[in-house]
């Protein structure tokens, strides 16, 4: 199995790249943001409890998110591996993921981060907001809050995976194809 965490601030291009890479490497793509949005659209209990956090650009509580992630992994037994997009976002989530994958006899093999400057992120997200229909992309204050939450709560995970020698940084500015090529270089090396 190959389990990858695609990492980076909101607007770094994780979703775009994950949907290309999942086909290229035959991995299951799990985006916690997409799962939350699906649940909000379908007005499930999970969706209702997550919506108020998401609309403000805050993180959904760990327990809710971790249980949801485990259930998504569980649905895909027999997979070649996973691309986790938007998860983990806290150390508690990283620990939970590690414990869960260990119980399945596997692990996170790498965290690959897309590195993009803040002002480019804000521009990209405002542009995406014109068509994404996401309330959290429509308001610049919420966008800036999401980026702050990333630096205050999530960015520490770089350290967490660096300590395990599993962190790879990739320049996230360029064409979609260029960035896919940079990510593929790292993944090809891991899969050798
Ligand atoms: P994303 O689609 O990854 O930008 O996520 C959109 C929103 O969903 C985030 O701003 C959070 O409110 C919530 N969310 C997604 N993934 C997580 C996570 N791993 N932990 C907590 N909240 C999350």
């Amino acid at each position: 199995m190959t389990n990858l965490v695609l990492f980076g601030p909101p607007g770094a291009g994780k979703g775009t790249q994950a949907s290309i890479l999942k086909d290229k490497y035959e991995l299951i793509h799990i985006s916690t943001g997409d799962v939350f949005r699906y649940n909000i659209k379908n007005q499930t209990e999970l969706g209702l409890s997550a919506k108020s956090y998401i609309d403000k650009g805050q993180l959904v509580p760990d327990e809710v998110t971790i249980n949801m992630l485990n259930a998504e992994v569980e649905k895909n037994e027999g997979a070649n591996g996973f691309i986790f997009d938007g998860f983990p976002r806290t150390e508690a989530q990283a620990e939970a993921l590690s414990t869960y994958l260990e119980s399945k006899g596997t692990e996170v093999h790498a965290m690959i981060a897309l590195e993009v400057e803040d002002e480019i992120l804000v521009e990209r997200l405002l542009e995406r907001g014109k068509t994404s229909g996401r309330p959290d992309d429509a308001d610049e204050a919420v966008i800036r809050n999401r980026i702050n939450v990333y630096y205050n709560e999530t960015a520490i995970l770089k350290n967490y995976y660096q300590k395990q020698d599993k962190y790879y940084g990739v320049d996230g500015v360029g064409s979609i194809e260029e960035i896919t090529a940079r990510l593929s270089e790292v993944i090809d090396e891991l899969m050798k």
Side-chain angles (χ1 to χ4, degrees):
M1 265 184 119
T2 304
N3 300 308
L4 308 173
V5 172
L6 200 53
F7 193 66
K14 300 185 295 290
T16 304
Q17 292 298 332
S19 61
I20 298 170
L21 296 170
K22 73 168 177 149
D23 291 333
K24 182 165 178 187
Y25 294 100
E26 297 182 335
L27 301 171
I28 302 290
H29 171 204
I30 299 181
S31 154
T32 40
D34 285 350
V35 180
F36 282 132
R37 282 184 289 278
Y38 175 85
N39 279 277
I40 291 171
K41 195 167 133 220
N42 291 289
Q43 300 187 333
T44 66
E45 210 174 302
L46 174 68
L48 294 175
S49 65
K51 187 174 174 1
S52 62
Y53 298 99
I54 295 178
D55 285 349
K56 289 185 228 137
Q58 296 169 354
L59 295 185
V60 176
D62 281 336
E63 199 191 333
V64 175
T65 308
I66 289 165
N67 289 338
M68 178 186 91
L69 191 276
N70 291 355
E72 289 298 313
V73 173
E74 211 66 49
K75 280 184 200 163
N76 290 285
E77 219 175 301
N80 270 340
F82 293 89
I83 302 179
F84 298 105
D85 156 12
F87 186 96
R89 266 172 150 103
T90 63
E91 197 160 324
Q93 292 180 14
E95 291 286 350
L97 181 62
S98 150
T99 307
Y100 181 72
L101 291 178
E102 256 168 47
S103 78
K104 304 268 162 201
T106 185
E107 62 176 318
V108 169
H109 296 91
M111 163 182 271
I112 313 178
L114 290 169
E115 296 165 343
V116 180
E117 270 170 48
D118 292 359
E119 288 315 307
I120 299 179
L121 298 172
V122 175
E123 262 171 51
R124 283 187 186 176
L125 290 169
L126 284 171
E127 194 54 39
R128 183 172 84 183
K130 292 179 187 164
T131 54
S132 70
R134 283 178 55 170
D136 61 345
D137 284 346
D139 178 334
E140 186 166 338
V142 174
I143 288 176
R144 291 199 182 269
N145 190 42
R146 286 159 62 202
I147 295 172
N148 284 338
V149 166
Y150 172 80
Y151 286 114
N152 294 334
E153 301 183 45
T154 302
I156 43 143
L157 291 181
K158 174 176 178 177
N159 228 335
Y160 179 93
Y161 286 101
Q162 252 170 349
K163 275 193 210 142
Q164 301 177 28
D165 257 341
K166 290 181 176 174
Y167 180 87
Y168 301 83
V170 164
D171 180 4
V173 181
S175 69
I176 291 177
E177 295 75 18
E178 279 165 350
I179 298 164
T180 306
R182 289 174 202 151
L183 292 167
S184 298
E185 232 176 89
V186 176
I187 300 171
D188 289 341
E189 194 60 36
L190 287 167
M191 284 186 156
K192 252 188 198 167

